[in-house]
Amino acid sequence: MLRLAGPPVAEAVYAELRALLAQMPYVPHLRVVRLGDDPASVAYVRLKDRQARRLGLSSQVDVFPAGTPQEALLAHIARLNADPGVDGILVQSPLPPQVDFNAVLQAIDPQKDVDGLTPLNTGRLWMGLEALESCTPAGVVRLLKHYRIPLAGREVVIVGRSNLVGKPLAALMLRENATVTLAHSRTHNLPEVCRRADVLVVAVGRPGLITPEMVRPGAVVVDVGINRVGQSPEGRDILVGDVAPEVAQVASALTPVPGGVGPMTVAMLLYNTVKAARWRRGV
Ligand code: NAD
């Protein structure tokens, strides 16, 4: 079984970006906004900021209290939109209940939408136009291409239909000429639908959802899920995906969790930051 490791592919993206950055007459600036202290959000934001700096980008994290009203957050986004020195804006989700994530996405300047989630970029993606693409789906496609997994004409089944992962991944897989099925919590007979897949991508958030009986022997399986199932004696989170470990015995290739899709998400965020800067500044 081929292990579809993310870090070497992320490194290839960073090498491309370093070459581009060396020719750019300015340093792109990423601004990440976080509300509250959700431990997973704190960890993700730290990772994104650290990796941005490691690549040589300028990065700043703006932290607001969990109780911040939506209007105050929208006013902050308006300031970042208007600031010519800001190339990329990312608001980390999930957000506290008083803030509507869709309202936030609609407020972000699509030219600075490095998460690729605003209505304009989502629409452009579905129309097959150049867009800032949602980072995790773009990372999945980049990972599969790196390992030379063919997609054209093949059955791709995606489990999970979120705006963040499942839906934009369906658009990207269509662009790769795959035959796409988007399954979800109301899908009848999920095991049978999953067994159709040449490439099965799972983005649900339920450990062990995908068992070996749901996977056609020889299929490629991409596990997007990240689930915290406890802590190690050293206090580190123990992370597992949505795919049961025994699936390794039937799949021809599988992404590990951690160390599969996660590093690709961060790499594609920084890819989008450089792309957004070059577009907006014209150099
Ligand atoms: P979400 O909660 O927004 O969406 C989950 C989807 O799963 C929904 O569309 C729902 O219909 C579907 N679903 C729920 N129960 C199901 C079931 N029993 N059978 C089939 N489908 C079911 O979640 P999300 O934001 O898309 O994230 C999904 C998972 O991916 C989470 O574990 C999240 O942590 C992880 N994630 C990982 C990365 C990464 O970089 N690796 C990035 C984003 C999200």
Side-chain angles (χ1 to χ4, degrees):
M1 198 231 18
L2 176 63
R3 191 170 176 274
L4 303 173
V9 192
E11 276 313 316
V13 174
Y14 294 136
E16 248 174 56
L17 293 179
R18 272 190 212 101
L20 276 177
L21 287 166
Q23 295 164 9
M24 288 162 63
Y26 58 91
V27 176
H29 179 69
L30 171 66
R31 198 67 77 89
V32 180
V33 180
R34 171 164 70 73
L35 262 66
D37 293 316
D38 168 59
S41 294
V42 171
Y44 288 141
V45 166
R46 190 186 302 133
L47 196 67
K48 290 167 184 176
D49 179 55
R50 195 183 294 163
Q51 197 60 51
R53 288 161 191 262
R54 196 174 290 162
L55 182 65
L57 302 183
S58 149
S59 169
Q60 184 179 318
V61 181
D62 299 336
V63 181
F64 290 87
T68 302
Q70 177 167 305
E71 302 71 58
L73 177 60
L74 295 184
H76 184 64
I77 291 171
R79 282 192 295 275
L80 298 179
N81 286 343
D83 183 343
V86 173
D87 294 292
I89 304 168
L90 180 154
V91 178
Q92 182 66 42
S93 66
L95 290 168
Q98 79 280 7
V99 184
D100 173 10
F101 191 43
N102 283 336
V104 170
L105 291 177
Q106 287 175 71
I108 294 173
D109 179 347
Q111 289 196 321
K112 299 186 178 186
D113 169 28
V114 286
D115 233 356
L117 296 175
T118 60
L120 188 81
N121 280 308
T122 302
R124 289 183 66 92
L125 180 67
W126 277 101
M127 291 178 74
L129 299 171
E130 187 77 42
L132 291 169
E133 297 167 1
S134 177
C135 302
T136 302
V140 168
V141 172
R142 176 83 192 225
L143 185 83
L144 293 172
K145 285 187 168 178
H146 180 93
Y147 288 103
R148 302 189 191 287
I149 308 288
L151 296 170
R154 302 185 87 204
E155 294 278 348
V156 173
V157 175
I158 301 162
V159 189
R161 59 171 159 184
S162 69
N163 289 336
L164 185 67
V165 186
K167 281 189 224 166
L169 183 59
L172 285 174
M173 288 293 187
L174 283 174
R175 193 175 72 188
E176 297 300 323
N177 298 311
T179 301
V180 181
T181 303
L182 198 48
H184 47 79
S185 54
R186 306 282 289 272
T187 296
H188 288 173
N189 205 347
L190 185 66
E192 194 176 289
V193 173
C194 289
R195 270 197 305 271
R196 288 212 296 262
D198 296 311
V199 178
L200 176 63
V201 186
V202 191
V204 171
R206 273 204 188 195
L209 176 74
I210 303 299
T211 55
E213 305 75 56
M214 299 167 81
V215 177
R216 198 172 50 67
V220 173
V221 180
V222 177
D223 191 351
V224 179
I226 299 180
N227 305 290
R228 282 166 183 75
V229 291
Q231 284 208 323
S232 70
E234 304 82 48
R236 288 227 183 93
D237 284 338
I238 299 172
L239 303 179
V240 301
D242 292 344
V243 174
E246 303 76 43
V247 167
Q249 285 147 32
V250 284
S252 64
L254 176 63
T255 59
V257 178
V261 175
M264 292 308 300
T265 298
V266 181
M268 298 321 287
L269 166 69
L270 303 184
Y271 176 90
N272 278 349
T273 304
V274 173
K275 181 171 169 176
R278 288 166 65 88
W279 268 5
R280 192 176 56 89
R281 300 192 193 222
V283 268

